[in-house]
Amino acid sequence: MDHHDKRKREGNNRGHKRGRNEAEHEAKRRRIDHGDSTNPVYATSYSKEEIENEERKPKRKVAVMIGYNGSGYKGLQLDHAQKTIEGEIFQAFVKAGAISKANADDPKKSSFGRCARTDKGVHAAGNLLSLKLIVEDPEIVRKINQHLSPQIRVWGIQRTNNSFSAYQMVDSRVYEYLIPSSSFLPPHPKSYLGKKLVELAREKGDLGEFENRQEEVKDFWQDVEEKSVNPILENLDENTRKVVLTTLFPMDEIPQKMNKADSKATKPDMEDMNTTVSTDNHERRGTSLQGISPEKLEAAVQTSLLDRLSDGEADAPRPQSTSSSVRETLDTDSAFEAASTGKTSPLEASGVLQPSSAASVQPLMKEIRAADTQPAHESASTEQSSPLESSDKSAEAPTSIQTAIKEIRAAYLSARRAYRIGTKRFDRMKSALQLYHGTRNFHNFTVDKRSDDPSAKRVIKSFVPEPQPILIDGMEWLSLKVQGQSFMIHQIRKMVSMAALVVRCGCDPQRIVEAYGPQRIGIPKSPSLGLLLEQPVFESYNRKCTNLGKEPINFNDYEKEIEEFKQRSIYQKIYQDEARENIFGNFFNHVDTFQSRAFLFVTSGGLQATQGVISEKDTKPEATPTAGIESDEEDEDQGLGVGQDG
C-alpha cells in the first residue's frame, strides 16, 4: 500500500470512528430521554470515599491478547444492556486491579479498543485489545483470568508505545472456518436444485462437462437408497409407501428403483400422485421473488428454513431447543416473514408433509383412512369428510407415515456423516478458494453494497484448506483458513457458501469470478457455527517495535495454551452442536429444495438464470456506522482503493 492510499485509509478510519462516536452519543441521549439513567451492565460504581482511598498507580498502554468461546454472549463489543465478551473482560480488569476504581464505570477512560469485532456466537482463538492498564503486578494475567469464565482467556499482556491502536495497527486478520466434508456432496437428484442442474446442463450443451465435474460422487445417492432406504420402503404397505415417497420427493418424478417394491401400483395410482403444482413454491403461495433485494431474498430463504426446522421438515430430528448458532443463521426480516411463509395446513404444520406435497398427498391420506379405519357401514357423509379431521383411529395413520419418514431421513443423515471427501473433490474445493485471492469486488458477498461502491473492494491474501481433514466421532471436517486485510459483514460466510455451492453443484468455478461483476446475485450465508477468528497479524508494527524498545505482538508465544483452548472450548462446541442439530445439513438441504430461480446461478445457466430475481435499486448506499451494528466477522471498515494488491 503506497503512502497516498495509506493516508486515504487513515482518513476514512477517522471518519468511520467519528460516525460511530456520534451514534453512541445519540444512543446515550435517547436512553436519558426515555428515563433510562442506569449504568451499563459492565460498569462498576464506587463511592467517592472508596475512590479517594485507593492508591494511585500509573497506567501503561498495552496490547492484551485474548481468546474466547462466543456462545452465550451478544458478541465481543461492549453493550450497554447485554452480556458481551468485552464487558466480562472489563469487569475482570477492575476486580484484578488492572483498572482503578475511578475508571471502573467507563472503558473510554482507559482508551479501550479492539482490532476485530466478532458477532454473537462467533469464537476467537486470538484477538487483541488495546488500552491503558495498571500492569506493575507480575501476576496480573493470572489474577485477571481468575475473574473470568473458563470460556474467556487472557493469553498475555505486552507494553506498546502510547500511540498504539489495535484497530489501526493491524495489517490483516486470519479466520478459520470449520465445515463438514458432507457439505460438498451434490444435491439429491430429485431435489429442486438437483433436477435444475441436469436440466440446464442439457439445455446449455454442458452435460458432458457437468458430469465430469461430478464424476466422483455421481452414484452416492443411488447407493444410499439401494443399501439403506429401499429396505425401509419394502416393509411399508402400498398406500403408506405412496405417501412417504410423495412427501420425500417431487410428485412428478418418483424414483423408479425406489418404487420397484410397489409391484401392485396401477397406472391410475401413479397418475393420482402426479398432481403437484409445478410453479415455484413461493409464487404458488402468492409471493413473487422477482426483483427483490438480496437482503429480502436472504430473509425469505431463512424464514422458510426456520419454518421447516420448526415443523420437523429438516433431516435431523427436531431439537428440543434451538441453539444460538441456529437462531443466528435463521435470523429473518420480520417485514418479509409473513409474505415468504404463507399459510400451512395442519399436516404441514405437524411436519408430516412438505408444503409442495400437501395437495397430492391428501387423496392418498383419504384412501389410507378409508381402507384402514372406516367401517363399511359408515355413512357417505362420513366418507366425504376432510382427511385432515382428526379422530382417535385416523390419528394413527400420520404417526406411521411420520415414523417411516424419520427412519428414511435418519438413513440419509447417517450416510452423509459417513462421507469422506475424495482427492478430486478436495482439489476442486481448493481451486475454488484460490479464486478469491487478490483485490476483488465483493459487493455480492455482503449486504447493502452496490457494485460501484469502492468500499466493496477487499484484499484476500490467502484462502486455503488444511491438507488433512479432521475426524471427530465418525464425521469428517475440513478446516479452511482465510487471511485478509479487512472483511465486511457476512463476507467470509458467503465466500465459503459460494465455494461450497460451486463444488457440490458441479459448477464451472469461474462463476466465482463472474460474481465480482456488476450483476447482483443472492448468495446465501453459510452457518456462523464454523467461524472463528484465529488471530490478527501485526507485521508492520512488529518490524518497527524493536526500535521503540517494545516486544513484538506474537500469538505463537502462547501456541500450546491456545491450541488446548481451541480443542476444549471451541472445536468441541462446534462438533457437538452439529451432531445434535445438523446445522450444516439443514442449511444445504434447504438451499437444494428452495423452489426459486434465486440460486440457479450455480447451474450451467450461469448468472443469467437468476436475471431479474435480485433488484439493484433496493440496495442501500453505504450508511454511516452506528453503535450496535454487529458483524459476524468484524467492523465494516472502509475498503481499499482500486488496484491495491494483496
Side-chain angles (χ1 to χ4, degrees), residues 407-452:
E407 289 178 354
I408 292 173
R409 286 183 176 146
Y412 283 125
L413 181 59
S414 177
R416 278 201 294 264
R417 289 181 172 171
Y419 173 72
R420 305 290 180 263
I421 195 166
T423 302
K424 288 184 179 179
R425 206 81 171 157
F426 185 89
D427 289 344
R428 289 198 71 235
M429 178 264 295
K430 183 177 179 180
S431 298
L433 295 177
Q434 289 175 347
L435 295 175
Y436 291 124
H437 292 184
T439 302
R440 306 289 189 175
N441 187 335
F442 286 101
H443 73 101
N444 273 321
F445 294 81
T446 185
V447 297
D448 293 341
K449 293 284 185 186
R450 298 175 63 93
S451 59
D452 56 359

Side-chain angles (χ1 to χ4, degrees), residues 17-46:
K17 184 176 181 180
R18 184 166 54 252
R20 183 180 298 280
N21 288 337
E22 290 172 356
E24 288 175 352
H25 288 310
E26 176 62 20
K28 184 176 181 179
R29 185 190 64 77
R30 285 197 303 269
R31 287 197 299 269
I32 294 173
D33 288 346
H34 286 83
D36 182 7
S37 58
T38 58
N39 283 331
V41 293
Y42 52 79
T44 304
S45 296
Y46 292 93

Side-chain angles (χ1 to χ4, degrees), residues 236-251:
L236 302 177
D237 64 83
E238 176 184 334
N239 288 324
T240 302
R241 188 182 309 121
K242 292 177 186 177
V243 178
V244 170
L245 287 174
T246 48
T247 303
L248 291 170
F249 297 98
M251 265 34 70

Side-chain angles (χ1 to χ4, degrees), residues 550-567:
K550 308 298 181 185
E551 292 293 320
I553 296 171
N554 190 352
F555 283 85
N556 292 335
D557 293 342
Y558 310 96
E559 183 177 5
K560 181 179 178 180
E561 297 97 316
I562 291 175
E563 186 61 30
E564 191 274 333
F565 177 79
K566 281 168 63 176
Q567 293 294 336

